[in-house]
Amino acid sequence: MAGKVFFGVSMSVDGFIAPDSPEELMGKQWMELQRWVFPLRFFRENLKLGKGGEEGRDNDIARETFERTGATVMGKRMFDAGERMWPEEAPFHTPVFVVTHEKRVPWERPGGTTFHFVNDGIEAALEQAREVAGERDVRIAGGGETILEYLNAGLIDEFSIALSPVLFGSGIRLFEGVDAGRIALEQVRAEHSPRVTHLTYSVRER
Amino acid sequence: MAGKVFFGVSMSVDGFIAPDSPEELMGKQWMELQRWVFPLRFFRENLKLGKGGEEGRDNDIARETFERTGATVMGKRMFDAGERMWPEEAPFHTPVFVVTHEKRVPWERPGGTTFHFVNDGIEAALEQAREVAGERDVRIAGGGETILEYLNAGLIDEFSIALSPVLFGSGIRLFEGVDAGRIALEQVRAEHSPRVTHLTYSVRER
């Protein structure tokens, strides 16, 4: 059985997942968007921030998302931002397929993350990811534009939103430009923690 | 003890609460946004659509929202659209304060709904609504612009969103133009039903 293709992001109540540019000052709101993640034991361990941290349902969900993922796909903008920020042991621990026009040999990081640079489009990147993921799932990690390309192409099976109690007012909207006439959703589940609401939807064509 | 000022709306996963214009063809998405409401026993009884209908948590939530409301405030656009569509026994069963420039004598409907036309702004309308609501709550019924005016003026204590599994792609966004730098949210509760996720947030100034 082939795995699913999914994405999972933190979103503000007004639908934003990031500030307009990585440099932009969105301090308070950005921190509030991600507030549920930072204290988690899984997050701290995975980003080598030190031992300890919170356990509980939020932590389980973060860990389950990681464990289901057999391969990762991301856009060039996410890779460029991450290349400067990730620790040497990048936090994916799977093959990562970067959709880009740049030609580059695979970049192997300690801990099982190898970045492959795919020059022939989102479908080719996904095909390669599916192959290495086997029965596990493929995560479309980001950014927003790349997620939307996959969604509008009908290539997403399921997605999860961690809806954080914050309003952005401006920034990058997750669903800006979504082909709403083609995409129907079904609720899969909703789980509430003190910091965030986890919403999962499956996707089908109308 | 004075009641709270709240609003409660159905919102799509991408943040829309209505199509761009009431005439616009948004058939499928609009029906999906409101799908959780139509079969409810409370909704059917309140709009005189006939006896019977579904009970359960969605129905309880719709009824609780109605029962907590001691007075209603709405904008002119919502009133104009509703005036043509509501049954003779309009579904509010409270005094309703319409924020408008139009001067008009109160319009009394059978069943306890009387529309009062307030010409001196949102704060005056709210003050009148609070007075008649007593210990019960004041509901800002809509539309989107009026809700946002109250939110940005710091006059909303709490709001509830029934998040429906549908994408709109375009239309009227609930939080378009929100003063995100001034408004902080706290999660109050989240409840999941098979059709919708009910999210409640309290509002405070940053």
Side-chain angles (χ1 to χ4, degrees):
Chain A
M1 201 184 84
K4 288 180 181 163
V5 180
F6 79 102
F7 66 83
V9 294
S10 296
M11 188 173 91
S12 69
V13 174
D14 54 348
F16 295 94
I17 56 170
D20 274 317
S21 71
E23 293 76 25
E24 202 177 339
L25 264 179
M26 279 283 300
K28 257 186 201 168
Q29 275 99 325
W30 177 252
M31 290 299 287
E32 284 177 25
L33 185 71
Q34 303 291 348
R35 181 176 287 164
W36 73 279
V37 171
F38 298 132
L40 301 182
R41 179 175 180 151
F42 173 76
F43 176 80
R44 294 178 50 78
E45 286 173 358
N46 198 33
L47 277 177
K48 310 282 169 200
L49 299 178
K51 290 213 176 293
E54 287 184 14
E55 310 214 8
R57 193 59 194 126
D58 282 343
N59 192 58
D60 292 345
I61 286 173
R63 189 181 301 275
E64 286 159 17
T65 303
F66 175 80
E67 285 171 355
R68 69 186 282 195
T69 303
T72 306
V73 174
M74 68 178 61
K76 181 61 160 49
R77 283 176 65 181
M78 178 170 177
F79 175 78
D80 285 346
E83 192 177 9
R84 296 192 301 270
M85 284 167 20
W86 294 315
E88 192 188 357
E89 190 170 313
F92 303 98
H93 307 283
T94 69
V96 178
F97 297 88
V98 182
V99 183
T100 175
H101 295 294
E102 189 192 354
K103 290 188 194 308
R104 179 167 164 181
V105 294
W107 185 42
E108 198 177 328
R109 309 274 54 201
T113 304
T114 299
F115 294 92
H116 302 272
F117 302 89
V118 182
N119 304 134
D120 43 359
I122 63 169
E123 301 204 17
L126 180 57
E127 202 171 306
Q128 292 178 50
R130 276 186 193 280
E131 205 157 300
V132 302
E135 291 183 13
R136 285 203 291 164
D137 296 335
V138 173
R139 179 177 189 169
I140 312 297
E145 270 182 41
T146 302
I147 286 173
L148 205 72
E149 279 181 57
Y150 279 101
L151 187 61
N152 282 343
L155 296 170
I156 301 286
D157 298 311
E158 189 180 289
F159 63 84
S160 293
I161 291 171
L163 196 71
S164 288
V166 57
L167 294 166
F168 264 45
S170 66
I172 295 174
R173 285 195 166 100
L174 175 57
F175 293 109
E176 186 75 57
V178 70
D179 189 352
R182 271 191 63 196
I183 295 164
L185 305 182
E186 272 169 44
Q187 293 195 149
V188 176
R189 66 185 162 274
E191 288 188 79
H192 191 49
S193 81
R195 290 204 187 86
V196 74
T197 305
H198 301 278
L199 304 160
T200 299
Y201 299 93
S202 66
V203 182
R204 57 175 177 75
E205 251 184 76
R206 284 188 181 279
Chain B
M1 202 184 83
K4 287 180 182 165
V5 180
F6 79 103
F7 66 84
V9 294
S10 296
M11 187 173 91
S12 69
V13 174
D14 54 346
F16 295 94
I17 56 169
D20 274 318
S21 72
E23 293 77 25
E24 202 177 339
L25 264 178
M26 278 282 301
K28 257 185 201 166
Q29 276 99 325
W30 178 252
M31 290 298 288
E32 285 177 24
L33 184 72
Q34 303 290 348
R35 181 176 286 164
W36 73 279
V37 172
F38 298 132
L40 301 183
R41 179 174 180 150
F42 173 77
F43 176 80
R44 293 177 52 77
E45 286 174 357
N46 198 33
L47 276 178
K48 310 280 171 201
L49 300 178
K51 290 212 176 295
E54 289 183 13
E55 311 214 8
R57 193 60 194 126
D58 282 343
N59 193 57
D60 291 345
I61 285 173
R63 189 180 301 276
E64 287 161 15
T65 303
F66 175 80
E67 285 171 354
R68 69 186 282 197
T69 303
T72 306
V73 173
M74 68 179 62
K76 181 61 161 48
R77 284 176 64 180
M78 178 170 177
F79 174 77
D80 285 347
E83 191 177 11
R84 297 192 301 269
M85 284 168 19
W86 295 315
E88 192 188 358
E89 191 171 311
F92 302 98
H93 307 282
T94 69
V96 177
F97 297 88
V98 182
V99 183
T100 176
H101 295 293
E102 189 194 356
K103 289 187 196 307
R104 180 168 163 180
V105 296
W107 186 41
E108 198 175 328
R109 308 273 64 205
T113 303
T114 299
F115 294 93
H116 301 270
F117 301 89
V118 181
N119 305 134
D120 43 359
I122 62 170
E123 300 203 18
L126 180 56
E127 201 170 306
Q128 291 177 53
R130 277 185 192 280
E131 204 156 302
V132 302
E135 292 184 12
R136 285 204 289 164
D137 296 334
V138 173
R139 179 177 188 169
I140 311 298
E145 268 181 44
T146 302
I147 286 173
L148 205 72
E149 279 180 57
Y150 279 100
L151 188 61
N152 282 343
L155 297 170
I156 301 287
D157 298 311
E158 189 180 289
F159 63 85
S160 293
I161 291 171
L163 197 70
S164 288
V166 57
L167 294 167
F168 263 44
S170 64
I172 294 173
R173 284 195 166 100
L174 174 57
F175 293 108
E176 186 76 56
V178 70
D179 189 352
R182 271 191 64 196
I183 295 163
L185 305 182
E186 272 168 44
Q187 293 195 150
V188 175
R189 66 184 163 272
E191 286 187 80
H192 189 49
S193 83
R195 291 204 187 86
V196 74
T197 305
H198 300 278
L199 304 160
T200 299
Y201 298 92
S202 66
V203 181
R204 57 175 177 75
E205 251 184 75
R206 283 188 182 279

